[in-house]
Amino acid sequence: MSDLHGNRGGKRERLIQSAQLLVHQQGVQRTTLAQVAANAQVPVGNVYYYFKTKDELVAAVIATYDDEMRAMLVMLERRPEPADRLKALTRHWADMGEISARYGCPMGSLCSELDKADGALDRDAERIMAIVVDWAEEQFRQMGQREPRDLAIALFSSVQGSALLANTFRDPDIVARQARRLEDWIDSLT
Amino acid sequence: MSDLHGNRGGKRERLIQSAQLLVHQQGVQRTTLAQVAANAQVPVGNVYYYFKTKDELVAAVIATYDDEMRAMLVMLERRPEPADRLKALTRHWADMGEISARYGCPMGSLCSELDKADGALDRDAERIMAIVVDWAEEQFRQMGQREPRDLAIALFSSVQGSALLANTFRDPDIVARQARRLEDWIDSLT
DNA sequence: GTCTATAAGATGATAGAC
DNA sequence: GTCTATCATCTTATAGAC
C-alpha cells in the first residue's frame, strides 16, 4: 500500500472518523476543528495538512456516508425478491433506532443542517439521499407498482420522519414501531 | 394597553419576528444577533435590553410557534368530523410546501438542530411537537382506531419526512404528492 | 511530514454615555 | 429607555520552526 496523503498511522482516516462522529452528535457548525483533532489524537494545526478547509473535511465525511450507503445497497441486492430488499433496508434503519433517538439520522440531520448553510456541501449530501430513493424506486418498480417513485418517497419519508420524532422525543421505540408498520405495508403491496 | 417590556414601537415583537424568519432560513447557530437586529431595524446592542441572552430570544421564537400551533388546532376543532380535522391539518402543511422545500419545516428543522445543542431549548421545541401528536392521537381515537398513537406518529412522521426530502431535493412537489397520499390514507380508515 | 504559535475575523455579551 | 463603543472569547486558518 502506497503512502498517498502521507497517512502515517492513518491520521487522515482518524480525522474523518472523528469528524463523522462529532458532526452526527453536534452538527457541523457546533463541531470545531479543535474537537475533531483532539478526538482523533492529532494536533490542532495539523488538520490543515490533510484538509485545506473545514468544508473539505465535512465533504470527506459525506463521501464516507456515500461509500457506506452504496456498500449497503450492494449487500441488499443479494436478496432475490425486491420486497425483501426493501424490508431489509427498513430493518437496517430500525436497528439504528437507539442512535437515531439520541442524535437523529446521520444523513437526515446533516441534510437538514446543510440546507441552511451557504456552501455547496448540501449537494453532496443530497446525492446520497437520491441514491437511496432511486434504489427504492427501482425495487417498487420491480414489484410491479404503478407509482414507484411516490412509494419510494413515502417509505423514505416515513423513515426520516420517525427518526426525527424519535430524536425529538428521545424515544427509540418510535423508530421500531414505525418500522414494523412499514414492513407490514410493504407486504400488503405484494 | 400597558407598556410592559417597554415596547415602544413594538421593537420586542419585531425582534422576535426577525429572529423567527432568520432562524428558519439559516438555523439558530448561523443566525447572529447582528442580523436579527439589522433585520428588525433595531441597534445591535439594544437587543440585550429585551432579551438577556440569545437563548432567551430563541425561546421567544419557540413560544410564538407554540401560540400559532395552538391557535391552528383550535381552528380545526370547528370541524365536526375528526377525519376532516386531520385532513385539514395535512392540507395546511401541504400549503407550506414551497417554503418547506426552501428552508425545511420550521419546527422540524428547529428540533433537529436543537437536539444537537447543549441548552434546554430542545425541551421547549419538543413540547410543540407533542401538542400536535397528542392532538392527532385524539382525532384517531375519536375515529375509533385501535392504535391512535401509532397512527398519529405515522401521520406526523410522513409529514416531517416529506418536508425534509422536499428541502433536500428542493422539490415542493414532494410535499404536495405525499399530502395527497396521506389524505387518501385517512379516508381509507373511516 | 509534524507540530507550535499566532494571526485574522467573527460573535455573544457588557459598560456606560445620553 | 435607548444606543454606541468595546471587551472577551472562540474558531478558522496560516506562518514557520523543527
Side-chain angles (χ1 to χ4, degrees):
Chain A
M1 199 92 176
S2 79
D3 200 28
L4 197 66
H5 298 300
N7 58 342
R8 303 273 171 77
K11 287 189 181 172
R12 186 187 158 89
E13 284 66 31
R14 285 215 308 280
L15 285 170
I16 295 177
Q17 257 193 307
S18 169
Q20 188 168 26
L21 181 69
L22 287 167
V23 164
H24 183 209
Q25 296 180 347
Q26 306 181 331
V28 174
Q29 188 81 359
R30 293 186 144 86
T31 297
T32 69
L33 294 176
Q35 290 174 328
V36 173
N39 190 257
Q41 301 201 327
V42 168
V44 195
N46 201 353
V47 174
Y48 289 92
Y49 174 74
Y50 297 99
F51 304 96
K52 275 195 279 291
T53 64
K54 184 184 181 181
D55 272 13
E56 209 172 274
L57 173 58
V58 176
V61 168
I62 296 174
T64 300
Y65 280 130
D66 197 316
D67 293 342
E68 291 171 357
M69 183 52 67
R70 286 176 197 273
M72 151 84 57
L73 296 182
V74 168
M75 289 269 287
L76 293 177
E77 293 285 353
R78 290 184 188 167
R79 296 167 192 263
E81 294 299 324
D84 283 338
R85 295 198 279 258
L86 286 170
K87 285 194 288 181
L89 182 58
T90 304
R91 224 168 296 128
H92 170 254
W93 280 323
D95 291 340
M96 304 198 327
E98 295 280 348
I99 200 165
S100 288
R102 266 192 169 270
Y103 307 112
C105 169
M107 293 189 308
S109 55
L110 189 57
C111 284
S112 180
E113 180 178 5
L114 291 178
D115 272 318
K116 294 191 190 301
D118 310 299
L121 285 175
D122 58 340
R123 291 294 166 188
D124 294 343
E126 174 189 350
R127 211 164 296 133
I128 305 178
M129 305 291 264
I131 289 169
V132 178
V133 174
D134 290 349
W135 184 88
E137 179 183 359
E138 177 58 24
Q139 309 311 310
F140 281 116
R141 180 172 289 117
Q142 288 183 21
M143 288 170 66
Q145 292 298 315
R146 289 244 171 170
E147 295 177 310
R149 185 76 185 171
D150 281 348
L151 295 181
I153 290 176
L155 173 62
F156 201 36
S157 284
S158 292
V159 169
Q160 285 296 324
S162 58
L164 177 62
L165 291 187
N167 184 222
T168 299
F169 296 130
R170 310 243 170 218
D171 179 7
D173 230 42
I174 289 178
V175 172
R177 294 178 73 89
Q178 292 300 315
R180 226 171 294 142
R181 283 183 55 86
L182 289 172
E183 288 190 60
D184 290 346
W185 171 65
I186 293 169
D187 277 331
S188 77
L189 293 175
T190 55
Chain B
M1 197 91 175
S2 79
D3 200 30
L4 197 66
H5 298 301
N7 58 343
R8 305 269 171 80
K11 288 189 182 173
R12 186 187 156 89
E13 284 65 30
R14 286 215 309 279
L15 284 170
I16 296 176
Q17 256 193 309
S18 170
Q20 188 169 25
L21 181 70
L22 286 167
V23 164
H24 183 208
Q25 295 179 348
Q26 306 181 329
V28 174
Q29 188 80 0
R30 293 186 142 85
T31 297
T32 69
L33 293 176
Q35 290 174 330
V36 173
N39 189 257
Q41 300 201 328
V42 168
V44 196
N46 202 353
V47 174
Y48 289 93
Y49 174 71
Y50 297 100
F51 304 96
K52 274 193 281 290
T53 63
K54 184 183 181 181
D55 273 12
E56 209 173 274
L57 174 56
V58 175
V61 168
I62 296 175
T64 301
Y65 280 130
D66 196 315
D67 293 341
E68 291 172 358
M69 182 54 66
R70 287 176 196 272
M72 151 84 58
L73 295 183
V74 167
M75 289 269 288
L76 294 177
E77 294 284 354
R78 291 183 187 169
R79 296 168 191 264
E81 294 299 324
D84 283 338
R85 296 198 278 258
L86 286 170
K87 285 194 287 181
L89 182 59
T90 304
R91 224 169 296 129
H92 170 253
W93 281 324
D95 290 342
M96 305 199 327
E98 295 279 348
I99 200 165
S100 288
R102 263 192 171 272
Y103 307 113
C105 170
M107 293 187 308
S109 55
L110 189 58
C111 284
S112 180
E113 180 178 5
L114 291 178
D115 273 317
K116 294 189 191 300
D118 309 299
L121 286 174
D122 57 340
R123 291 294 166 190
D124 294 343
E126 174 189 349
R127 211 164 296 131
I128 305 178
M129 305 292 264
I131 289 169
V132 178
V133 173
D134 290 347
W135 183 87
E137 178 183 359
E138 177 58 25
Q139 308 312 310
F140 281 116
R141 180 171 291 115
Q142 289 183 20
M143 288 170 66
Q145 293 297 318
R146 290 244 171 167
E147 296 176 308
R149 185 76 185 169
D150 280 347
L151 295 181
I153 290 177
L155 174 62
F156 201 37
S157 285
S158 291
V159 169
Q160 285 296 324
S162 57
L164 177 62
L165 292 187
N167 185 223
T168 300
F169 296 131
R170 309 244 173 220
D171 179 7
D173 230 42
I174 288 178
V175 172
R177 294 177 73 88
Q178 293 299 314
R180 226 170 296 142
R181 284 184 54 86
L182 289 172
E183 287 190 60
D184 290 345
W185 170 65
I186 293 169
D187 278 331
S188 76
L189 293 175
T190 56

